[in-house]
Amino acid sequence: MAVEVHVIKSDTKPTWCPGCGDFGILNATLKAVQATQLDPKDLVVVSGIGCSSNLPHFLRSYGFHGIHGRVMPVATGIRLANPDLTVIATGGDGDGYGIGLGHFIHAMRRNFDLTYIVMNNEIYGLTTGQASPTSEKGMVTKSTPWGSIEWPVNPIALALSAGASYISRGFSGDPKQMATLIEGGLRHKGFALVDVFSPCVTYNKVNTYPFFRERVYKLEDEDHDTSDLLAAYEKAHEWGERIPIGLFYRVDKATYEEEEPALSRGPLVKQPLGLSQEQAEALIQEFR
Amino acid sequence: MPEGDVAIRIGGAAGDGVTSTGEVYAIACARSGLHVTTYESYQSVIRGGHVWFQIRAANEKRYSQGDTFQLLIGLDQQTLDVHAPLLSAPGGVIHDNDRHDLDEGILPEGVQSLPVPAQAISMDVSGKPLMQNVATLGALAHHVGLDLKVLHGSLAKMFGRKGEEIVKLNETVAERGYRHAAKQHKPFEFALRPNGEGRLLMSGHESLCLGALAGGVKLVAQYPMTPASGIMHWMAAHAKDYGVLVKQTEDELAAMNLVIGANFAGARAMTATSGGGYALMVEATGLAGMTETPAVIVEAQRVGPSTGLPTKTEQGDLQMVFGASQGDFPRIILAPRSPEECYEAAWRAFNLAESYQCPVFILTDLYLGEMWRTVEPPDFQVPIIRGLVAEDGGEGYRRYEITESGVSPRAFPGQAGLMFIAGSDEHDEKGELISDIRAGLPEYVDTRTRMMEKRMRKLETALNEMKPPELWGPEDADLTIVSWGSTQAAVRDALEILKGTGITANSLEFFDLWPLRVDEARRALEAASETLMVEGNYTGQFHRLLRAETGIALGHALRKYDGEPFYPREIVAKAEEVLRGR
Ligand SMILES: Cc1ncc(C[n+]2csc(CCOP(=O)(O)OP(=O)(O)O)c2C)c(N)n1
Ligand code: SF4
Ligand SMILES: [Mg+2]
């Protein structure tokens, strides 16, 4: 069944500020889902809390819009219950790299088969403009009126260390490339990170569209070897004049779901409930 | 203690084999058809530290570990010094006088010294001193009249996985201890009848795990914490054979949210933790409430606040569980009284969680969860009720449809035509948010009210499935002892003792705590001539709840927060005090 974009797009209108980078991510996500020909009934979009985390409402698929920072455990719970479902996890930089950072790292080292799109605007948007874990050093925000004195986290380098098996970065100013990256993530078996520069036009006056347009270049234009971990690390640390976007690293390795014995009989949701007579009798023997 | 009712205590340093010795004895008693109750006191250290294990075996059903003990196995000097003076007569101390000195001056009258050359026996049989505790166990078995064959069988069960040779050596050592006692010690007249049909022996949490399997649990997500870890260990050991996915998560936040994700997708999933871990699950409890996602949470209480006493028991988390998370939403709280009820609570919890699409708590504690007791065989044919689920492809499906019962049809991802978004923000019947651009508009102010009332109505509907308190004992009594959850054990045994004092008392026991069957509770309290509330916390958490709901103030209170379980005689003493004052 061919799935058209209009079928997976819901009637709910996004409430983002005009010009918000998250629109580009929504469009790219719709395109990527369409390209994979996924039936939307088998797709679950999971998010946390933030401007960005409203995204599930704009797709006509199943969705779970949870609480701040807990997108990963909810998404993995869904995957473990029913690996027949495709899961997109999404949310902001505060959600994923701040309050939810621990879950992010553990989900990557477990290599759950899901795609995590982080709408990284280097700021807390919904709470009206405080510093985020990706805010640059020196950035003036409502919570750092004299400039942030912290170094930002580097999500790409973090993902490389934590064991994610598909690590990429997009830019809302280039929805075409981003759609390709998301599609690649959806097709990849394992944990796929798509970190996206998604300018917050209202609260981040530093990391704007022009800021990124002047700096970003595409890894695919520079012969980057996506199977080379060390090269990927080097690219992950490029910042300043030139900032790479595209696929940093990809590797094939077993997913958690493939190695989990309880899933060897198929999805948990399709297993019979309760105990057979033999099982019950065997259990009782243990207590005699 | 009355006839046919013997408690023994084994004490030693952690690593002395106190637990395994006690377990073999408990198994042997259960296999002999006796009713067994146990209490093990352990510390939060891995080696060293003092451990003691009390095992009570009786011809008739008993509920608690009992107040006194008649036989003591002392595996170290500290045990002899500390526990021997506490023995009751007729009784004895089994000890190895080659290794320790028993000061006979500290023994109560009627308690004798029962020396066994345990180390020498072990050395003689195996060339190592390791099996000395088994030699003392043999002597113990003789004194309570256990059959040597049953003891051998119990040793085989315990040590079977170490190989046949080890089992054989253990059997020989036990037999030597047994024969030594038969020859050298004066016999006791305990009148135990250890020759009935074997009984099942299990802890509350083991029983809970069985109930969860019977109830179709498919996923268990946990972060280790005493006294809930045993649930994860048991489930992990059975995961492959019974198709359960056990996930040790990075923390309790993850465990709870993962359980919500799995339930959302349609798998019966639960988590288990203790108070500190549950504190980390509080926000997600509200998420389950708001998104109307089922979730089963075992909260195994230990002593708080904070890290508290990790290996000690308390009933101090009711208030937290009752009030956890912002705003009002329906939740169900079950507080099983016994291992048998842990089984029932587990499968019921899944049915209730799916029927009412809300978090369901099973409130246990260290005492109930970890201590072994003999139980009646569970019924494995339990009903599985999955609640309201929509048919595929329904036009105009509304996940949060406003209904009279408050329950709306669920849909599972993968079902065609029913796509919806579950949201932690307030939403309308379809699941669309009313929290941002709609917030405050008169139409949506009304929607908020209606959604809130819809959710809360589920509590009224669920009330029909909640069980009223049970009144145990004579209907007319001088005193009604009120308790909840695991305190049943000590109260029921206290009633037995009170029978002999001329006081008639009965026991009003609460186990389905929320929603509370207020009418029955009020009627029962009004019918009581005098009331005594017994619970294991400082502030009387259930006492206050009961008063708030029924408007009835209970007459007296006995509260305990020293980390130890209630002992029947404490309750008897308080009952006597209460009635003397009348
Ligand atoms: C536990 C908790 N703490 C704080 C908040 C308030 N809060 C809502 S969104 C947010 C940060 C949003 O930033 P980000 O995740 O980057 O999303 P953005 O709005 O920038 O897209 C915070 C702190 C909350 N909802 N929950
Ligand atoms: S505040 Fe920023 S992140 Fe939020 S919608 Fe507006 S532009 Fe986007
Ligand atoms: Mg942000």
Side-chain angles (χ1 to χ4, degrees):
Chain A
M1 181 182 69
V3 179
E4 301 297 328
V5 164
H6 72 266
V7 175
I8 35 175
K9 192 171 174 183
S10 81
D11 299 334
T12 308
K13 294 266 162 303
T15 48
W16 293 315
C17 307
C20 174
D22 296 351
F23 283 103
I25 298 179
L26 173 60
N27 291 334
T29 306
L30 291 169
K31 252 197 224 148
V33 172
Q34 189 211 4
T36 56
Q37 286 300 302
L38 236 170
D39 189 334
K41 79 173 175 55
D42 297 320
L43 172 67
V44 189
V45 185
V46 187
S47 67
I49 292 292
C51 295
S52 41
S53 288
N54 284 342
L55 183 125
H57 294 277
F58 314 134
L59 273 78
R60 199 188 300 273
S61 68
Y62 283 95
F64 195 98
H65 180 189
I67 48 177
H68 194 35
R70 313 300 161 210
V71 58
M72 268 311 131
V74 172
T76 57
I78 294 168
R79 278 290 304 163
L80 293 178
N82 187 358
D84 287 351
L85 300 170
T86 298
V87 174
I88 295 178
T90 188
D93 43 319
D95 200 75
Y97 305 150
I99 190 168
L101 182 72
H103 305 310
F104 173 54
I105 291 172
H106 290 288
M108 290 192 287
R109 78 182 174 85
R110 291 168 184 151
N111 200 32
F112 291 120
D113 186 4
L114 47 82
T115 304
Y116 185 28
I117 306 169
V118 182
M119 311 192 205
N120 183 355
N121 54 13
E122 292 94 353
I123 197 91
Y124 281 11
L126 189 64
T127 45
T128 72
Q130 301 84 4
S132 101
T134 50
S135 294
E136 280 181 53
K137 191 164 194 301
M139 187 155 152
V140 173
T141 71
K142 278 190 187 160
S143 59
T144 56
W146 292 281
S148 166
I149 53 175
E150 294 177 8
W151 298 98
V153 299
N154 181 331
I156 303 293
L158 203 60
L160 287 165
S161 321
S165 49
Y166 178 104
I167 300 166
S168 69
R169 179 155 68 202
F171 168 40
S172 286
D174 191 343
K176 237 172 142 180
Q177 186 209 30
M178 199 200 326
T180 315
L181 293 173
I182 297 172
E183 186 189 338
L186 288 171
R187 292 189 190 280
H188 173 74
K189 243 175 30 161
F191 191 101
L193 172 69
V194 187
D195 178 71
V196 183
F197 294 137
S198 178
C200 168
V201 295
T202 307
Y203 295 112
N204 189 337
K205 303 298 182 194
V206 179
N207 308 103
T208 58
Y209 281 102
F211 172 93
F212 287 113
R213 276 213 183 91
E214 282 161 23
R215 290 170 173 81
V216 296
Y217 74 93
K218 293 182 186 173
L219 287 167
E220 55 267 35
D221 293 345
E222 304 221 342
D223 264 359
H224 169 65
D225 179 359
T226 58
S227 67
D228 185 340
L229 184 64
L230 290 181
Y233 266 112
E234 228 165 86
K235 290 291 177 194
H237 283 95
E238 252 181 55
W239 192 262
E241 298 294 282
R242 297 185 83 230
I243 303 174
I245 54 175
L247 182 61
F248 285 75
Y249 184 66
R250 207 197 81 87
V251 65
D252 282 316
K253 60 181 185 185
T255 66
Y256 192 95
E257 296 89 318
E258 283 170 339
E259 300 214 281
E260 167 55 55
L263 293 175
S264 61
R265 318 166 192 219
L268 298 181
V269 297
K270 298 193 176 140
Q271 304 308 309
L273 300 183
L275 293 165
S276 68
Q277 194 57 38
E278 290 125 83
Q279 285 181 319
E281 275 159 24
L283 280 170
I284 280 304
Q285 282 314 317
E286 294 183 25
F287 297 98
R288 283 198 201 282
Chain B
M1 275 212 205
E3 283 222 325
D5 184 348
V6 177
I8 68 103
R9 202 176 267 192
I10 303 169
D16 275 350
V18 170
T19 304
S20 59
T21 311
E23 284 185 15
V24 174
Y25 177 70
I27 292 167
C29 290
R31 287 184 167 192
S32 306
L34 296 169
H35 293 267
V36 176
T37 54
T38 67
Y39 176 65
E40 185 177 12
S41 172
Y42 63 102
Q43 300 171 335
S44 195
V45 290
I46 306 305
R47 288 206 67 88
H50 182 64
V51 190
W52 59 268
F53 200 161
Q54 180 157 321
I55 297 139
R56 180 186 193 185
N59 296 337
E60 307 293 330
K61 183 166 173 73
R62 296 287 182 265
Y63 294 89
S64 77
Q65 69 284 2
D67 291 288
T68 55
F69 59 104
Q70 292 95 324
L71 291 170
L72 174 68
I73 293 182
L75 296 177
D76 67 353
Q77 189 63 43
Q78 190 182 6
T79 302
L80 297 178
D81 297 342
V82 174
H83 296 270
L86 308 175
L87 276 153
S88 70
V93 186
I94 299 170
H95 62 107
D96 186 345
N97 52 356
D98 296 338
R99 295 188 60 220
H100 311 296
D101 295 315
L102 174 65
D103 174 3
E104 295 198 19
I106 64 174
L107 296 183
E109 179 134 356
V111 172
Q112 19 167 335
S113 166
L114 307 168
V116 176
Q119 188 170 22
I121 293 176
S122 177
M123 290 299 293
D124 192 31
V125 174
S126 69
K128 292 192 193 110
L130 279 175
M131 296 179 189
Q132 47 186 308
N133 49 347
V134 177
T136 60
L137 182 62
L140 173 66
H142 167 74
H143 284 298
V144 296
L146 292 183
D147 191 292
L148 197 51
K149 267 210 229 79
V150 177
L151 184 63
H152 283 173
S154 307
L155 284 165
K157 179 176 167 113
M158 189 73 190
F159 300 114
R161 67 195 135 75
K162 294 193 177 172
E164 214 169 295
E165 200 183 329
I166 299 286
V167 173
K168 271 268 153 314
L169 290 174
N170 273 290
E171 287 180 1
T172 311
V173 171
E175 188 161 348
R176 291 272 298 269
Y178 192 97
R179 305 240 177 271
H180 176 88
K183 229 196 248 159
Q184 308 290 333
H185 300 162
K186 222 168 76 196
F188 293 93
E189 287 300 328
F190 287 130
L192 272 185
R193 291 193 302 274
N195 35 30
E197 193 160 325
R199 296 183 181 280
L200 302 180
L201 181 69
M202 63 181 75
S203 70
H205 283 162
E206 285 170 335
S207 181
L208 190 151
C209 287
L210 286 182
L213 284 185
V217 68
K218 288 282 166 273
L219 185 146
V220 179
Q222 254 184 269
Y223 187 79
M225 188 169 192
T226 303
S229 304
I231 294 175
M232 177 165 57
H233 302 164
W234 194 94
M235 284 291 187
H238 293 81
K240 267 194 179 172
D241 290 344
Y242 296 90
V244 180
L245 196 158
V246 178
K247 182 82 207 85
Q248 179 181 336
T249 53
E250 57 273 26
D251 54 35
E252 287 87 351
L253 300 156
M256 183 64 190
N257 281 278
L258 198 150
V259 161
I260 290 171
N263 272 294
F264 170 77
R268 289 194 155 188
M270 69 175 230
T271 184
T273 184
S274 190
Y278 179 67
L280 295 183
M281 299 181 177
V282 168
E283 190 193 12
T285 303
L287 173 64
M290 187 55 137
T291 57
E292 306 198 44
T293 309
V296 173
I297 307 146
V298 180
E299 217 273 37
Q301 301 163 98
R302 69 186 209 192
V303 172
S306 198
T307 309
L309 292 166
T311 61
K312 295 288 158 194
T313 201
E314 198 166 272
Q315 294 183 293
D317 296 349
L318 172 63
Q319 179 168 300
M320 169 167 69
V321 160
F322 183 75
S325 220
Q326 62 271 30
D328 287 317
F329 57 90
R331 76 190 74 202
I332 292 171
I333 307 172
L334 310 177
R337 294 170 289 177
S338 60
E340 280 99 336
E341 221 158 68
C342 285
Y343 177 85
E344 193 180 310
W347 63 258
R348 280 180 70 210
F350 286 103
N351 287 347
L352 291 166
E354 291 209 310
S355 294
Y356 301 102
Q357 305 172 18
C358 71
V360 177
F361 295 91
I362 306 174
L363 204 50
T364 67
D365 53 49
L366 183 138
Y367 175 62
L368 170 64
E370 295 200 326
M371 302 312 151
W372 283 6
R373 293 187 216 170
T374 41
V375 302
E376 293 305 315
D379 178 2
F380 282 100
Q381 297 301 315
V382 308
I384 304 264
I385 300 158
R386 302 221 53 187
L388 212 52
V389 179
E391 299 280 334
D392 281 26
E395 269 297 298
Y397 170 64
R398 284 168 297 163
R399 166 65 185 95
Y400 299 110
E401 185 184 341
I402 291 177
T403 60
E404 207 172 309
S405 65
V407 180
S408 324
R410 288 170 82 197
F412 301 122
Q415 280 189 279
L418 304 176
M419 281 88 83
F420 74 98
I421 313 298
S424 66
D425 284 59
E426 186 60 280
H427 41 260
D428 65 11
E429 287 180 85
K430 282 194 265 174
E432 281 177 28
L433 304 192
I434 62 162
S435 52
D436 44 30
I437 50 166
R438 291 162 161 181
L441 300 178
E443 181 189 346
Y444 294 104
V445 171
D446 185 49
T447 304
R448 153 69 183 177
T449 307
R450 281 153 40 89
M451 293 308 292
M452 191 69 191
E453 289 169 357
K454 170 206 117 60
R455 284 190 297 268
M456 295 310 291
R457 268 202 300 282
K458 293 191 291 185
L459 261 190
E460 291 160 38
T461 314
L463 186 62
N464 299 317
E465 286 194 54
M466 296 294 111
K467 298 188 184 173
E470 182 185 1
L471 187 72
W472 173 265
E475 204 144 300
D476 279 321
D478 305 328
L479 180 67
T480 296
I481 302 173
V482 186
S483 69
W484 64 277
S486 67
T487 304
Q488 177 205 49
V491 174
R492 290 228 175 154
D493 282 349
L495 291 193
E496 271 310 299
I497 301 171
L498 282 168
K499 273 184 191 165
T501 66
I503 294 175
T504 57
N506 55 22
S507 165
L508 184 65
E509 301 164 358
F510 287 83
F511 49 103
D512 279 6
L513 301 190
W514 197 258
L516 183 68
R517 294 284 290 244
V518 175
D519 290 346
E520 288 91 343
R522 190 185 295 118
R523 246 176 277 139
L525 290 176
E526 278 168 354
S529 32
E530 187 62 88
T531 49
L532 167 64
M533 175 82 222
V534 183
E535 66 181 310
N537 59 63
Y538 187 90
T539 54
Q541 297 182 8
F542 187 71
H543 193 158
R544 278 185 285 137
L545 179 68
L546 208 48
R547 186 168 59 201
E549 294 299 318
T550 63
I552 297 173
L554 278 70
H556 303 269
L558 174 62
R559 294 180 194 151
K560 193 167 171 168
Y561 32 84
D562 61 359
E564 300 299 322
F566 277 101
Y567 283 83
R569 290 222 175 262
E570 295 170 335
I571 298 169
V572 169
K574 183 72 185 179
E576 286 173 333
E577 178 197 312
V578 164
L579 291 180
R580 208 179 306 125
R582 272 211 312 194

